[in-house]
Amino acid sequence: MADRIKMGEEVKVLGVWASPFSKRVEIALKLKGIPYDCIEEEDVRGNKSELLLKSNPVHKKIPVFFHAGKSIAESLVILEYVDETWKTNPILPQDPYQRAMARFWAKFIDEKLMLAIWKAYQGDDKAVEEAHGYLEILENELKDKRFFGGESIGFVDIVANFIGYWMGVIQEVHTVVLLTNEKYPKLCKWSEEFVDVLKEYLPPRDKLVAFFKALFEATHGSK
C-alpha cells in the first residue's frame, strides 16, 4: 500500500510534459503510488513563469517539486527526497555501496553523457565521438542485467530515461543517429524493456516527435 499523504502535504510537480527531467520525478511518484498534481510550465523556451523564478531562483529550470509547503529543485535531488520520504517501492539500493554507485552513474549520465548527446545534436562533431564513448561505457555497465537496478526499474534507470525513450524519438527527426542496435545491443534491449514497463507513464510518442521536430526546425532549420 502506498504511503499516505497527510492533509496539507499535497505533492505538486512544476515541469514540462516533454521534458525527461520532469518525467523522472513523475515516474518515481507513479512507481511509489504517490498522488500528485502537475503544474505545466507552458513557455518552454522563452519567459520563465513567476512560480518557477520564485521556487528555483538559482537555476531557473524545471522540474520543481512541492511538498508540505516547501519547494525542491533539480531532478536528482528530488528523486532522493522522494525515495527518503516515501519508503514504498524504493528506487535507490539499500546497500550503501550499491547506493553510492547508483549516485555515481546518475551523475555520469547527467554531467557527461547527456551533455555530449545534446552537443552532438547541435552539430558538434567532437561531441558525437564523445557521446559514443560514453554510450559504450554505459553499455558495459549494464552487463547482462535487465535493468541497471537489477530486475526492476531503479534510480539509474529513471535517470537514464532520456536514453531509454527520448533518444529514439529524436532520432526519427534528426540526422544524427547515436543509439543503434548494431553498436549498443544491450542498451537497445534495455530501452525496449524500459518502455514496455513504463509506457503508461511516458509522453505520447507521436506528440513528442512533433514537439522535437518543431524544436529542431526552429533552432537549426529543417533537417
Side-chain angles (χ1 to χ4, degrees):
M1 182 179 295
D3 296 340
R4 293 181 178 273
I5 303 292
K6 297 178 181 178
M7 291 295 292
E9 292 191 359
E10 292 85 2
V11 174
K12 298 181 181 181
V13 180
L14 173 63
V16 174
W17 70 269
S19 166
F21 301 100
S22 296
K23 286 301 174 183
R24 287 175 176 178
V25 179
E26 292 190 54
I27 288 170
L29 293 170
K30 293 282 190 182
L31 291 176
K32 286 177 171 290
I34 305 302
Y36 67 95
D37 291 324
C38 265
I39 306 171
E40 188 73 13
E41 181 74 7
E42 295 183 358
D43 194 344
V44 298
R45 288 180 292 156
N47 297 323
K48 310 289 184 180
S49 70
E50 183 178 344
L51 177 60
L52 176 58
L53 295 175
K54 180 180 179 180
S55 54
N56 187 8
V58 176
H59 298 293
K60 302 179 178 64
K61 294 180 179 179
I62 53 94
V64 180
F65 185 77
F66 301 93
H67 177 232
K70 299 176 182 179
S71 61
I72 303 169
E74 297 296 290
S75 62
L76 297 188
V77 176
I78 297 169
L79 288 178
E80 293 215 35
Y81 176 85
V82 168
D83 205 41
E84 292 172 2
T85 303
W86 295 282
K87 305 299 183 181
T88 304
N89 301 327
I91 58 175
L92 273 159
Q94 300 305 298
D95 177 77
Y97 173 76
Q98 294 299 329
R99 196 177 184 90
M101 292 308 297
R103 292 187 177 112
F104 170 85
W105 287 111
K107 190 173 182 180
F108 166 79
I109 290 168
D110 265 12
E111 296 183 2
K112 296 289 188 179
L113 180 55
M114 289 282 287
L115 184 60
I117 289 172
W118 278 117
K119 285 183 177 180
Y121 288 146
Q122 293 167 2
D124 186 330
D125 292 336
K126 182 179 178 181
V128 171
E129 184 179 345
E130 289 180 352
H132 278 301
Y134 294 145
L135 285 168
E136 185 176 352
I137 290 173
L138 203 61
E139 168 96 351
N140 293 335
E141 169 58 22
L142 187 58
K143 301 181 176 70
D144 295 321
K145 296 178 290 186
R146 184 185 182 197
F147 298 110
F148 289 98
E151 285 302 308
S152 59
I153 297 286
F155 185 73
V156 179
D157 302 285
I158 295 171
V159 173
N161 67 344
F162 180 83
I163 295 96
Y165 187 60
W166 272 257
M167 279 189 74
V169 170
I170 291 174
Q171 290 181 170
E172 289 188 26
V173 298
H174 204 286
T175 55
V176 175
V177 176
L178 299 170
L179 187 64
T180 65
N181 192 60
E182 290 73 25
K183 283 183 175 292
Y184 312 107
K186 293 178 182 178
L187 278 176
C188 287
K189 183 179 179 181
W190 164 81
S191 174
E192 292 174 3
E193 294 270 13
F194 179 88
V195 173
D196 185 59
V197 171
L198 298 177
K199 53 183 175 287
E200 63 181 300
Y201 307 149
L202 298 170
R205 190 178 184 89
D206 56 346
K207 186 178 178 182
L208 206 55
V209 167
F211 173 85
F212 278 106
K213 183 177 181 181
L215 178 64
F216 286 129
E217 287 180 352
T219 54
H220 304 295
S222 177
K223 293 287 183 180

